[in-house]
Amino acid sequence: MKYLVALPVFIFVWVVLYDSAYCQRPAVVNIGAIFTFDSVIGRAAKLTMELAVSDVNADPVILNGTKLKLTRKDASCSVFQGSVEAFQLVEEEVVTIIGPQSSSIAHMISEVANGLKVPMISYAATDPTLSSQQFPYFIRSTQSDYFQMAAIADLVDFYGWKKVISIYLDDDYGRNGIAALDDALEKMAKISYKLPLHIQFDQNDIIDLLHKSKLFGPRVYVVHVNPDPRLRIFAMAQKLNMMTSNYVWLATDWFSATLDSFSPLNGTTLSNLEGVVGLRQHTLESTHKKAFLSRWRAMEQKGLVSSGLNTYGLYAYDTVWAVARAIDKFLDEKNITFSVNKDLLDIKATGLHLDELKVFDGGPLLLRNLLQTNFTGLTGQFKFNQERNIVNYGYEIINIDKMEIERVGFWHNDFGLSILPPESLIAQKKNQSQLHQKLQKVTWPGGKTEKPRGWVITDEERPLRIGVPRRASFVDFVTEEHTSHQIRGYCIDIFLEARKLVPYNVPYIFVPHGDGLSNPSYDKLVQMVANNVFDVAVGDISIVTNRTRIVDFSQPYVSTGLVIVAPINNIKSSTWVFLKPFTVEMWCVTAAAFVMIAVVVWILEHRVNDDFRGPPRRQIVTMFMFSFSTLFKTNQEATVSPLGRMVMVVWLFLLMVITSSYTASLSSILTVQQLSTPIKGIDSLISNDWPIGYQVGSFAYNYLSESLHIPRSRLISLGSPEAYETALRQGPNNGGVAAIVDEVPYVELFLKRQTDFGIIGQPFTKSGWGFGCPEGRRQNSEPHQLHLKSFWGLYILCVIITLSALLVFLQRVIRQFVRYKKQQKLSSSSSSSSSTSTSSSVSCSQLIFNFFDFIDEKEEAIKKMFTHCENPPTHVNSTNQQEAASI
């Protein structure tokens, strides 16, 4: 029985003791840090991490009495030493490694962190290839170079530069960063030359590299190296006279980190950096950050700090706090324990203490806590995205101007370039499509504010190899003279004139393409440009789709296209040719308009204008003569009434448009050339089986056979204007051709010497030759008639205004007539009306006749009638007088 009582007591005591042991927090938690102590980033990070550990240990809320112990290891800018130091850290059973500072070391020891399950969080390794998929225990508490290079690419695109030279460190950090820039520039520009520097480069290496770069054409440099307190690249550039107005220097955030580390900032140093544009990681302004900066300046005044504070130092401070918060949450759930890796014990190696490398059992939990970190630090909101990188706040664009560091704008991945900070744009819920990319005024090397061109033609550079077609026909455009071997022609003249507009020398040589016996293949010439046999091709080269896929073209300098040439002859015009400009509908509507205007103007003018009064025959003649005389502007009658004048204004405008259109169309018809062949256009040419001529070397052959599917057996090659004439005169039945398909410029040159041939229809393709020139003459098979639909709007407008004027007139006359009849009734001495239907009918008929008689009266007579009715004889009742007057 006593055993039964003792058993529950024993279980209770065991549970209490186990729980107490499980939840007990350690007195100290070890964390490690690997960085280069004597470096721009390391000097700032060393002190900020020490301050962060001190602040964490002094805060009673964090860790609840547990102290952080930071063990620092110096990598000394060596991948090998940094890797050895990492092994020493994990032997000391650290739960987290802060760092490393170097991306190359991060690549090496991330595998160790993965194997031992020790989270590694770096505030300075920016290599974009350090991915969470390859290194799941690597976290980046700074911004990736992927975003930094996107910002540089947007800067290059913003100023319109197309080629840049990159100077970078030849390690993982430099190579992968420039690779990211290459990807970001893919659709905007390109890196023409990549110039790597050895990781232990010296002054001579820089001089050799810069001398080499001066042989190239681009003058836009992107510098991506480690922070250098001596700024040796710019110092050597200054000595080599490469900080002048011809150059552009863009630097990644190593430049701002270096400048921010100077304490105090040396004005002499900045004087050698005039015009350099760089990036600085953007951190949000806050009272917490301002207080820390004041604390740092106070330490500088006391001589406790040997370096200025840069953004990497701020990120290092926040990183320690993120680790502390993650450990605090971890200790609420689990104890810190390590276990032996059995795989390492199986490795037989003399002298290697692999058994001391233990796996952190709580690594996955602590990693999860770190990724869930979310607090406001010195840099702003401190949290991680899905790629395990710190949330991106973008970059500041800085510019050295008059020995001052000026901020000229911001860049953010969601907004691009802006003069407003990203947090303001986020608050305004803007997006990149709603913003105009904008920066404040930038001062460039040499002190100028005008954007540098960004490239030059160097003396050492070989001349441009310009391929030109050696034509055998139509040599007016381009060819090589047989005796002098000079390249001449219209296309060459255009090129030489364009070259005069370039404000610098462009060395070049012309290289003829072809044997001169027949026209060369232009497709082969374009392909030679694509294959870098030629740098440029100049000539009568048509811009067609298959060629634009392999090379770039300038703006067209001749607008051209394929046209059809066939025999023509001029025939006399017919007797009724003057009727052809208008269609039947157009003639009918125009005639109706003349009649309508005649009737309406007569109605409006009849009562007030003596020219429109008289015997009926005279009035009819006057009415129609007035209407038709407006066509010749010889009408003797003038309109008097306002409504009549309004109608005439609209009618004369319509008449002006109609007559000018008629004249132009008739002139075209009188000069039209009628075809002597049934070919009306490309469709009729395709539908027949007649042979078709084309110029040797022209793209017309491929277009006709491949695009229009005309059998190749129908296509006859012709090599000269003389061959054109012979083939067209022979015709399709005598060994010649029915028509020739060629480009407009060649055809126009051919037709200048020939009058028996002409262009049929319109060009059925559109292309160009390179720069810009007005189009030449065109000949149509027949002009188009003028259709009613082209003038329908004018006619509708005229009808509406005319009928409106007529309605206004009729309304006014009817009111006058009603008023007159009422006054006449009141003024009569007797009033009686007939009650029978017959008498009523007679009264209605009489009323209609009276109304027409009333309209026929002159306006002056109507006024006299009203005056007579308003002054009746004395026996009229006064009441009736008042009623009539009121009416």
Side-chain angles (χ1 to χ4, degrees), residues 141-153:
S141 58
T142 188
Q143 299 187 45
S144 168
D145 278 344
Y146 171 83
F147 297 104
Q148 179 167 217
M149 294 309 171
I152 292 289

Side-chain angles (χ1 to χ4, degrees), residues 214-217 219 456-463 505-507:
K214 293 178 72 174
L215 301 178
F216 308 139
R219 286 295 182 262
V456 297
I457 299 295
T458 59
D459 295 335
E460 295 83 357
E461 219 170 359
R462 63 170 176 79
N505 181 43
V506 181

Side-chain angles (χ1 to χ4, degrees), residues 93-111:
E93 297 186 346
V94 296
V95 298
T96 304
I97 297 176
I98 299 177
Q101 173 185 328
S102 166
S103 296
S104 298
I105 299 176
H107 275 281
M108 179 68 70
I109 68 175
S110 289
E111 297 289 356

Side-chain angles (χ1 to χ4, degrees), residues 97-101 106 120-125 138-142 319:
I97 297 176
I98 299 177
Q101 173 185 328
M120 187 169 65
I121 179 168
S122 176
Y123 56 86
F138 176 81
I139 308 173
R140 198 193 324 263
S141 58
T142 188
T319 301

Side-chain angles (χ1 to χ4, degrees), residues 47-63 66-68 288 291-292 295-296 299 317-318 320-321 324-325 378:
L47 186 55
T48 55
M49 285 192 289
E50 291 175 352
L51 292 174
V53 170
S54 176
D55 293 344
V56 168
N57 291 336
D59 193 332
V61 178
I62 300 296
L63 296 177
T66 299
K67 301 298 183 182
L68 283 183
H288 186 28
F292 188 84
R295 180 182 178 186
W296 188 274
M299 295 173 67
Y317 181 90
D318 284 349
V320 173
W321 271 93
R325 291 174 182 273
L378 297 180

